[in-house]
């Protein structure tokens, strides 16, 4: 599936990237590596590996399953993870803004919703965002 | 021999349609093709080509009988779909509106409510809502073109307040913390009159529901409402819903902290929350600040009680995991004395734990109440506290500056009038007025004023329904007597919050003229009833007719009976709060017959309790007799001035059980 960034531009994986399912993550990593998380992942177990991971991929089994949003925010806020957080699985262009706000930086677009639909979502005049953003300022944004 | 027809609802307008073979979909069941059992599979295949979903949704076969040469479905629900609501013979099912008909200008084009003490929305807020209306229009377009499947579209439309019901789409509009200006009410009347069939239904969650929307009209209706700063955002779906509060907030004499300020902050924080919009299940927050719980906070996912600490600063008591539905629970207390700056942070911590761990495998076990019980409250509280402690220090901090910025947009109403004694004098020789004042007014913090409740429970009427004309009348009365402000109560009535005592006789006269002077607030005919099977796709029974029959039967004795909350739900989802009614009625289907389970002893206030089932379910026709017998038993044993609920608490169920089951 095409991979896009936050501007809905198609991008390529870093050269030589290896993605491991969480259970198969080797204790020491060589070369650019990433991990694929299911939505019930335990981040405390993953924490020691985070500094060495270029990509954390979070799976959406169905777009209605919103656990991935909390995983991404926790990675950014609790664990200070600064690498690429990638969405994969089934999610909708309608959710693009929320995914970005929670800290996702790359997106493996689902088969039924190609990059063009995500680009269109981005071009719409309304970009979702909490009303309180205006009053609260930066404190609402992910750190 | 059993015959079947194929039915569904049309995507574009939600109208129930019936498959007529080669002629496609017809609007009347009599036009349908009827199939014998062996033919039905082939017929369903014919009715459901791969792109069927672009025209008709929820396609299925239902059983029918041929009666006097015409077809009629066997199940009550399907009969109601074919005919229209049983309680509105004037509104047959089917197409009722010509979308090409021109509409008059919006009320907001020529009026505004400059006085209402409501939150001052600005152009930014309106733009936000206009864009959301357009965004919903784009979703409808994508659905029609097939870019979104019905499965994908459904949660998105729900999040904009759009349900598919029996006869059409239903649009649920939030009335944030129950506060409306006269202009907003006129705009709602406009939508009721032109996009719906002339009325709306006020609900227990401080929402209004329109029952007859065409999907294609919804973006326009939402755009019209946006001009008056009202919307349907997050009134359904698995997200944070409209935050509710006490209908007398900001006016009540017993108020300790005005909850509207915090309810507005929660509204702004929860609207389009990027992390918490795809939760395991719906999430309802209620807040109260009166010492007395008028918002049922203990049966909400998060309940908040605002009070003052020893220094006089507002602080919060936080509850979580209350709820009704099929597993009713009274909430557990998580925290005392939470300071204002921490309010949203603590809510974030609760929601983060819930979003990560709430069950997603079973819709009936997905609410936070189940998570808390399954993992035990102590363990849940520990997780929340850990999560809370780990939040970045300034994340979602409610600074004083921010609270002041929101507070500045709640202008304090100007309440200069003193009590000139007009009301007292008038009550001396007008008993009807005196009775209405006793029953329908609430003490105001300004001594020259009261809050007046307008009952939407006329005996024999439909609880919570108001016609477009009635809405316009109430809007005018609000302008005349209540600084242009109206409240929607969680028992489905309307409130004029700031009425000068000296004006009350004139207001009462106007209400009598409008037929809106029912003096039954808090009495047995002030029944909470959900829409039930006359409208609702999930219902197992009709709640409205039962409420009507009970009210008719007991109206002559209601003042003698005194305070009594009767709550009726048309299915286990408990939208009529039957678990927390002093008397609760739950309609269930027993082999095709509607019967009612009776519970006693529920309460939604600070003594919140879940009612107990008293015995076998009662057939619909016997319900008024059963309640009347219950009342006889109560009147025979009550201590002077004792409310039914207190008699029940004193004596238990036995005397009432005997009374109900002795009658048949
Ligand atoms: C007519 C369309 C409606 C539908 C399809 C609907 C659906 C539901 C469902 C499925 C539940 C159960 C949730 C659960 O247990 O997890 C529920 C609960 C509830 N609904 Fe409704 N409802 C409707 C109308 C209303 C109305 C008219 C009211 C107000 C009168 C209302 C207020 C509530 C309340 C207060 C609860 C229980 C509190 C809770 O535990 O969430 N609903 N509704
Ligand atoms: S209780 Fe049941 S019948 Fe009544 S509105 Fe809720 S879902 Fe519908």
């Amino acid at each position: 599936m095409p991979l896009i960034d936050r501007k809905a531009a198609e991008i390529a994986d870093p050269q030589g990237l290896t993605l491991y399912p969480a259970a198969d993550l080797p204790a020491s990593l060589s070369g650019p590596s990433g991990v694929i998380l299911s939505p019930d992942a335990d981040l405390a177990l993953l924490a020691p590996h985070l500094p060495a991971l270029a990509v954390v991929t979070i799976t959406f089994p169905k777009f209605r399953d919103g656990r991935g949003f909390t995983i991404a925010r926790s990675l950014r806020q609790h664990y200070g993870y600064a690498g690429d957080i990638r969405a994969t699985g089934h999610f909708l262009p309608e959710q693009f803004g929320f995914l970005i706000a929670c800290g996702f930086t790359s997106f493996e677009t689902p088969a039924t919703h190609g990059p063009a639909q995500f680009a269109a979502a981005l071009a719409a005049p309304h970009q979702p965002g909490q009303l309180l953003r205006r009053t609260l300022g930066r404190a609402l944004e992910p750190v | 021999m059993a015959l079947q027809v194929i039915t569904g609802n049309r995507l574009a307008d939600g109208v129930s349609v019936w498959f007529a073979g080669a002629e496609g979909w017809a609007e009347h069941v009599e036009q349908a093709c009827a199939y014998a059992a062996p033919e039905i599979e082939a017929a369903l295949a014919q009715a459901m080509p791969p792109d069927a979903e672009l025209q008709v949704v929820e396609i299925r076969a239902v059983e029918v009988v041929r009666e006097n040469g015409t077809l009629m479905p066997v199940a009550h629900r399907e009969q109601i779909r074919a005919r229209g609501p049983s309680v509105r013979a004037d509104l047959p099912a089917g197409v009722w509106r010509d979308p090409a008909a021109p509409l008059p200008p919006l009320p907001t084009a020529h009026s505004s409510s400059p006085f209402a003490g409501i939150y001052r929305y600005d152009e930014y807020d309106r733009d936000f809502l206009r864009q959301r209306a357009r965004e919903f229009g784009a979703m409808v377009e994508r659905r029609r073109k097939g870019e979104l499947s019905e499965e994908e579209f459904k949660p998105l439309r729900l999040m904009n307040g759009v349900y598919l019901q029996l006869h059409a789409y239903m649009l649920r509009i939030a009335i944030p913390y129950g506060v409306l200006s006269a202009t907003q009410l006129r705009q709602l009347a406009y939508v009721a009159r032109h996009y719906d069939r002339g009325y709306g239904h006020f609900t227990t969650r401080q929402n209004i529901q329109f029952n007859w929307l065409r999907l294609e009209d919804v973006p326009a209706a939402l755009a019209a409402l946006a001009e008056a700063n009202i919307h349907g955002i997050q009134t359904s779906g698995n997200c944070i819903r409209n935050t509710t509060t006490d209908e007398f907030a900001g006016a009540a004499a017993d108020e300790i902290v005005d909850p509207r300020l915090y309810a507005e902050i929660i509204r702004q924080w929860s609207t389009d929350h990027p992390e918490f919009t795809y939760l395991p299940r719906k999430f309802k927050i209620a807040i109260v600040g009166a010492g007395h719980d008028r918002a049922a906070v203990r049966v909400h996912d998060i309940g908040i009680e605002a009070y003052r600490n020893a220094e006089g600063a507002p602080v919060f008591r936080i509850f979580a995991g209350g709820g009704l539905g099929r597993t009713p629970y009274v909430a557990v207390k998580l925290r005392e004395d939470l300071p204002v700056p921490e309010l949203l942070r603590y809510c974030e911590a609760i929601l983060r734990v819930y979003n990560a761990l709430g069950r997603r495998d079973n819709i009936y076990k997905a609410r936070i109440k189940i998570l808390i019980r399954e993992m035990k409250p102590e363990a849940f509280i520990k997780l929340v506290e850990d999560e809370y402690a780990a939040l970045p220090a300034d994340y979602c901090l409610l600074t004083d500056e921010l609270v002041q910025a929101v507070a500045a947009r709640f202008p304090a109403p100007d309440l200069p009038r003193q009590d000139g004694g007009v009301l007292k004098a008038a009550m001396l020789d007008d008993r009807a007025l005196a009775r209405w004042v006793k029953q329908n007014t609430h003490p105001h913090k300004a001594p020259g004023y009261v809050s007046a409740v307008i009952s939407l429970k006329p005996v024999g009427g439909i609880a919570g329904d108001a016609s477009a004309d009635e809405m316009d009348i109430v809007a005018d009365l609000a302008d005349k007597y209540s600084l242009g402000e109206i409240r929607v109560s969680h028992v489905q009535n309307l409130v004029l919050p700031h009425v000068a005592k000296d004006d009350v006789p004139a207001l009462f006269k106007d209400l009598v003229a409008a037929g809106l002077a029912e003096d039954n607030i808090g009495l047995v005919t002030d029944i909470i009833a959900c829409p039930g099977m006359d409208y609702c796709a999930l219902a197992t029974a009709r709640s409205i007719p039962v409420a009507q029959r009970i009210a008719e039967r007991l109206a002559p004795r209601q003042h003698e009976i005194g305070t009594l909350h009767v709550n009726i739900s048309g299915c286990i989802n408990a939208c009529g709060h039957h678990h927390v009614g002093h008397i609760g009625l739950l309609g269930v289907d027993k082999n095709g017959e509607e019967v009612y389970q009776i519970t006693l002893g529920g309460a939604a206030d600070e003594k919140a309790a879940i009612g107990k089932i008293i015995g076998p379910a009662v057939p619909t026709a016997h319900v008024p007799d059963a309640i009347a017998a219950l009342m006889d038993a109560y009147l025979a044993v009550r201590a002077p001035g004792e409310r039914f609920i207190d008699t029940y608490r004193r004596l238990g169920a036995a005397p009432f059980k005997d009374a109900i089951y002795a009658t048949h």
Side-chain angles (χ1 to χ4, degrees), chain A residues 62 65-67 70 73 77-78 90 94-95 113 117 126 130-132 134-136 138-140, chain B residues 122 132 135 142 147 151-152 268-269 271 273 275 278 352 355 360 387 390 394-395 402 409:
Chain A
K62 267 269 178 268
D65 185 336
R67 285 177 287 182
T70 279
R73 271 237 160 135
Q77 287 192 345
H78 268 198
H90 181 241
E94 276 76 2
Q95 296 173 306
H113 302 284
Q117 289 190 22
H126 173 63
Q130 283 158 284
L131 283 171
L132 199 57
R134 173 172 60 154
T135 342
L136 262 181
R138 71 187 161 74
L140 267 185
Chain B
D122 61 15
R132 282 293 302 250
E135 187 189 17
R142 271 161 60 71
E147 288 177 14
E151 193 199 345
E152 292 171 337
Q268 293 192 19
W269 160 77
T271 301
H273 196 298
E275 186 179 344
Y278 295 87
R352 200 166 272 179
N355 195 34
R360 292 175 188 265
E387 193 65 44
D394 63 347
Y395 180 66
L402 191 141
R409 295 221 259 158

Side-chain angles (χ1 to χ4, degrees), chain B residues 13-272:
Chain B
D13 60 8
V15 165
S16 38
V17 287
W18 311 84
F19 188 60
E23 277 148 57
W25 294 90
E27 285 159 11
H28 300 285
V29 63
E30 303 86 64
Q31 298 164 291
C33 290
Y35 303 94
E39 308 158 355
I40 195 71
E41 286 307 317
L44 271 170
Q46 189 194 353
M48 282 197 275
D51 63 349
E53 200 183 83
L54 293 181
Q55 304 297 329
V56 178
V57 295
E58 314 238 327
I59 299 172
R60 65 204 186 274
V62 301
E63 208 174 308
V64 290
V65 288
R66 214 180 273 285
E67 255 172 31
N68 312 324
T70 85
L71 295 170
M72 197 29 85
V74 174
H76 280 163
R77 178 182 194 278
E78 299 304 326
Q79 287 173 8
I80 289 171
R81 280 182 72 243
R83 291 182 181 147
S86 70
V87 289
R88 290 296 303 257
D90 55 327
L91 302 176
V95 175
W96 61 274
R97 170 173 138 72
D98 170 11
L103 297 179
L106 295 172
T108 38
H110 49 74
S111 91
S112 67
S113 294
F115 328 105
I118 70 163
Y119 185 74
R120 288 281 179 269
Y121 297 95
D122 61 15
E123 214 35 42
Y124 176 98
D125 298 296
R126 271 186 294 284
D127 251 352
F128 176 86
L129 296 183
R130 289 181 191 123
Q131 288 177 9
R132 282 293 302 250
R134 263 181 248 132
E135 187 189 17
F136 185 68
M139 288 176 194
V140 173
E141 228 4 73
R142 271 161 60 71
R143 168 70 180 85
R144 293 187 47 126
K145 286 196 285 197
E147 288 177 14
L148 288 171
S149 66
E150 177 66 11
E151 193 199 345
E152 292 171 337
F153 177 63
K154 187 175 167 184
L156 298 176
R157 76 160 151 71
L158 287 174
M159 251 173 250
N160 286 280
V162 184
Y163 284 78
L164 179 59
Q165 293 288 38
L166 297 181
H167 316 293
Y169 288 93
M170 180 193 98
L171 175 61
R172 185 182 286 161
I173 298 298
I175 296 169
Y177 36 96
V179 180
L180 275 177
S181 70
T183 302
Q184 290 179 315
L185 187 54
R186 288 191 190 97
Q187 208 85 337
L188 290 170
Y190 178 96
V191 168
R193 191 171 282 126
H194 300 294
Y195 292 109
D196 194 280
R197 300 172 87 170
Y199 65 108
H201 176 75
F202 289 99
T203 81
T204 52
R205 295 216 73 259
Q206 299 182 315
N207 292 315
I208 182 170
Q209 297 183 170
F210 296 110
N211 295 302
W212 298 93
L213 267 282
R214 305 169 69 255
L215 181 62
E216 292 177 332
D217 283 340
V218 172
L222 290 176
L225 293 171
E227 295 308 316
N229 308 304
I230 14 187
H231 61 81
I233 299 169
Q234 291 173 211
T235 55
S236 178
N238 297 335
C239 47
I240 304 173
R241 305 284 190 88
N242 186 27
T243 298
T244 52
T245 188
D246 170 8
E247 59 266 27
F248 301 119
D254 59 2
E255 184 162 279
I256 301 166
V257 177
D258 184 346
R260 293 172 306 164
L261 171 61
Y262 304 103
E264 172 60 25
I265 288 171
I266 292 169
R267 183 187 78 88
Q268 293 192 19
W269 160 77
S270 60
T271 301
D272 271 357

Side-chain angles (χ1 to χ4, degrees), chain B residues 295-341:
Chain B
V297 303
R298 288 166 182 77
V299 289
H300 281 76
D301 296 283
I302 290 181
I304 305 171
E305 266 181 354
Y307 56 99
R308 290 187 188 274
N309 62 14
E311 288 76 51
V315 289
F316 305 108
R317 188 174 294 126
I318 309 285
F319 297 90
L324 303 172
R326 69 186 62 213
T327 35
Y329 283 119
V330 174
V332 298
K333 189 169 73 187
L334 303 193
R335 264 272 182 161
E336 294 268 357
D337 300 334
L338 186 75
V340 168

Side-chain angles (χ1 to χ4, degrees), chain B residues 526-566:
Chain B
D526 187 9
I527 297 173
I528 293 181
C530 78
M533 204 194 274
D534 286 299
Y535 296 95
C536 179
L538 304 175
T540 44
R542 272 167 284 187
S543 12
I544 299 168
V546 175
Q548 291 172 326
R549 299 298 87 75
I550 294 173
E552 285 160 357
R553 180 70 183 270
L554 291 169
R557 293 203 278 162
Q558 60 177 334
H559 290 277
E560 184 194 355
I561 293 166
T563 301
L564 178 57
H565 301 160
V566 179

Side-chain angles (χ1 to χ4, degrees), chain B residues 415-592:
Chain B
L415 304 167
R417 304 270 300 270
Q418 300 299 320
D419 182 356
V422 177
L423 176 59
K424 219 171 184 170
M427 284 185 354
L428 285 178
D429 33 57
D430 184 344
R431 286 194 46 207
L433 170 67
R435 213 159 56 168
W436 183 84
V437 168
K438 170 172 176 272
Q439 215 58 54
N440 290 39
T441 62
H442 193 269
H444 198 287
K445 60 171 93 169
Y449 290 78
V450 290
S451 299
V453 186
I454 301 175
S455 170
L456 294 181
K457 318 282 180 70
V459 172
I462 298 178
D465 275 14
S467 69
D469 292 346
E470 286 170 339
M471 291 183 219
D472 280 339
I473 290 169
V474 173
D476 290 347
L477 294 177
D479 274 342
K480 201 164 156 191
Y481 299 112
S482 180
L483 307 171
E485 194 173 330
I486 301 114
R487 303 291 177 81
V488 179
S489 83
H490 82 288
V491 284
Q492 305 178 288
N493 293 312
L494 298 178
V495 176
L496 299 181
H498 318 292
V499 181
K501 282 183 183 160
D502 284 354
D503 287 345
V504 170
L507 166 65
F508 179 65
K509 202 163 152 245
D510 288 348
L511 287 172
V512 170
L516 289 169
E518 199 80 41
D519 56 358
N520 62 349
I521 300 308
L523 301 180
V524 58
T525 62
D526 187 9
I527 297 173
I528 293 181
C530 78
M533 204 194 274
D534 286 299
Y535 296 95
C536 179
L538 304 175
T540 44
R542 272 167 284 187
S543 12
I544 299 168
V546 175
Q548 291 172 326
R549 299 298 87 75
I550 294 173
E552 285 160 357
R553 180 70 183 270
L554 291 169
R557 293 203 278 162
Q558 60 177 334
H559 290 277
E560 184 194 355
I561 293 166
T563 301
L564 178 57
H565 301 160
V566 179
N567 294 34
I568 309 180
S569 303
C571 81
I572 190 73
N573 289 318
C575 301
H577 294 200
H578 65 275
H579 299 296
V580 290
H582 297 166
I583 299 178
L585 292 163
L586 164 62
V588 290
D589 176 287
K590 200 172 138 198
N591 310 320

Side-chain angles (χ1 to χ4, degrees), chain A residues 98-129:
Chain A
F98 287 169
L99 291 164
I100 293 169
C102 286
F104 284 91
T105 39
S106 66
F107 310 84
E108 200 177 340
T109 55
T112 44
H113 302 284
Q117 289 190 22
F118 284 83
L122 213 52
H126 173 63
Q127 290 307 313

